[in-house]
Amino acid sequence: MCAAAGFLVMSYSGSRIWWMPPDGSLHGPVADHLMWLNLVGLGLLFLLSQVLLAYSLFRRNQQNFCSPEREKTELKDLHFFSRAKILFWKYELFPLIALTILYTGLAIAAQRLWAANRFQGASPQALQVEVTGVQFQWYFRYPGQDAAFGATRPDLVNAPAGNPLGLDPTDPQGKDDIVSSTLVLPAGREVDLGIRSFDVIHGFFIPGMRVKQNAVPGMEMHIHFTPTVPGDYPILCSQVCGLGHARMQAHLRVVPEREYEKWLAAHLPKESR
């Protein structure tokens, strides 16, 4: 109970050092508000349950000291079935209805937010970036000037030789593909990430963007969002993927559109310039 009270006090503090890092995405405030609402609701319910528990124990002790004559008088004043009906409404049905309404509202709000991010596709103007997780590294591929990804072949994967994704050199669409270990995105532009894995399940997680999506071998998962605040944001793996899981980290740099274009031009392969 003390811990819950402390949590509520901390939640109203200005610093909120225990909270998520500062949000840098367009949808972040809605996600934060929903998470905040869930935590406050659960915290209040926990406090209420402790108060009711203490009250029931205190009331039971008081009843044990009641005289038999007083207890008989109280029982006569109230018919057994009426008393049971009141207790049912007071202690079972009313809390059940209240909790049902509360959780239904939270579930509807969460479903709307989830659907907006997952069920609705990105706009046609969204920047396409392919994200690949492999023990224990994140790689990011940009389609280049032709806006089309080149073909890849598993037998060509060779990270020490500079081809960690197995780009097929015979495919002309892959001549201008850019592979980077840092994710660079323009601020204010929607991005559609195609996330996949080469080996085991990884968790692509950008806390500062409120973005999290598993990378599953054999599947390409999509998630889209709009970064709005320029800055550096850590990228983590949220799934324990092996002995090197802790060092599977990368960085997201959100920069103005002009700086992003410069970065893109500077990283184009020589043969495509």
Side-chain angles (χ1 to χ4, degrees), residues 47-68:
L47 286 177
L48 179 61
S49 66
Q50 300 305 304
V51 170
L52 291 177
L53 180 61
Y55 172 74
S56 63
L57 291 175
F58 178 74
R59 183 178 176 82
R60 184 179 179 85
N61 289 335
Q62 275 194 331
Q63 288 178 344
N64 289 337
F65 289 105
C66 289
S67 62

Side-chain angles (χ1 to χ4, degrees), residues 61-79:
N61 289 335
Q62 275 194 331
Q63 288 178 344
N64 289 337
F65 289 105
C66 289
S67 62
E69 293 76 12
R70 180 180 175 183
E71 186 174 356
K72 289 179 182 179
T73 303
E74 289 181 351
L75 290 176
K76 287 180 181 178
D77 292 342
L78 190 62
H79 191 273

Side-chain angles (χ1 to χ4, degrees), residues 139-181:
Y139 293 106
F140 308 98
R141 183 161 68 127
Y142 297 77
Q145 295 175 331
D146 61 357
F149 290 108
T152 58
R153 288 167 44 192
D155 58 306
L156 296 178
V157 173
N158 191 340
N163 192 7
L165 302 181
L167 298 183
D168 187 352
T170 62
D171 185 0
Q173 289 187 330
K175 296 289 185 183
D176 61 348
D177 284 4
I178 299 172
V179 178
S180 172
S181 59

Side-chain angles (χ1 to χ4, degrees), residues 197-218:
S197 170
F198 269 2
D199 37 39
V200 299
I201 295 178
H202 300 282
F204 183 76
F205 184 29
I206 313 178
M209 291 289 136
R210 309 299 190 261
V211 168
K212 188 177 182 182
Q213 175 62 56
N214 281 348
V216 183

Side-chain angles (χ1 to χ4, degrees), residues 30-232:
V30 181
D32 283 357
H33 177 73
L34 182 61
M35 189 184 302
W36 174 243
L37 196 61
N38 276 272
L39 289 175
V40 171
L42 291 175
L44 292 177
L45 287 175
F46 175 76
L47 286 177
L48 179 61
S49 66
Q50 300 305 304
V51 170
L52 291 177
L53 180 61
Y55 172 74
S56 63
L57 291 175
F58 178 74
R59 183 178 176 82
R60 184 179 179 85
N61 289 335
Q62 275 194 331
Q63 288 178 344
N64 289 337
F65 289 105
C66 289
S67 62
E69 293 76 12
R70 180 180 175 183
E71 186 174 356
K72 289 179 182 179
T73 303
E74 289 181 351
L75 290 176
K76 287 180 181 178
D77 292 342
L78 190 62
H79 191 273
F80 173 76
F81 292 105
S82 299
R83 182 182 176 85
K85 188 176 180 180
I86 292 175
L87 290 176
F88 173 73
W89 276 94
K90 189 175 181 180
Y91 295 109
E92 295 185 25
L93 190 58
F94 177 73
L96 179 62
I97 293 175
L99 286 176
T100 302
I101 294 174
L102 173 64
Y103 280 100
T104 300
L106 292 176
I108 292 174
Q111 173 64 22
R112 287 179 176 174
L113 179 60
W114 177 270
N117 282 334
R118 307 302 175 97
F119 297 157
Q120 298 177 7
S123 66
Q125 295 78 24
L127 173 66
Q128 301 292 322
V129 180
E130 181 188 83
V131 181
T132 302
V134 56
Q135 292 176 322
F136 301 96
Q137 179 72 44
W138 292 109
Y139 293 106
F140 308 98
R141 183 161 68 127
Y142 297 77
Q145 295 175 331
D146 61 357
F149 290 108
T152 58
R153 288 167 44 192
D155 58 306
L156 296 178
V157 173
N158 191 340
N163 192 7
L165 302 181
L167 298 183
D168 187 352
T170 62
D171 185 0
Q173 289 187 330
K175 296 289 185 183
D176 61 348
D177 284 4
I178 299 172
V179 178
S180 172
S181 59
T182 301
L183 179 60
V184 180
L185 298 176
R189 182 177 174 185
E190 186 181 21
V191 57
D192 181 18
L193 300 180
I195 303 173
R196 58 180 192 158
S197 170
F198 269 2
D199 37 39
V200 299
I201 295 178
H202 300 282
F204 183 76
F205 184 29
I206 313 178
M209 291 289 136
R210 309 299 190 261
V211 168
K212 188 177 182 182
Q213 175 62 56
N214 281 348
V216 183
M219 300 177 66
E220 182 167 328
M221 317 295 288
H222 281 263
I223 187 169
H224 59 95
F225 65 99
T226 303
T228 56
V229 182
D232 292 339

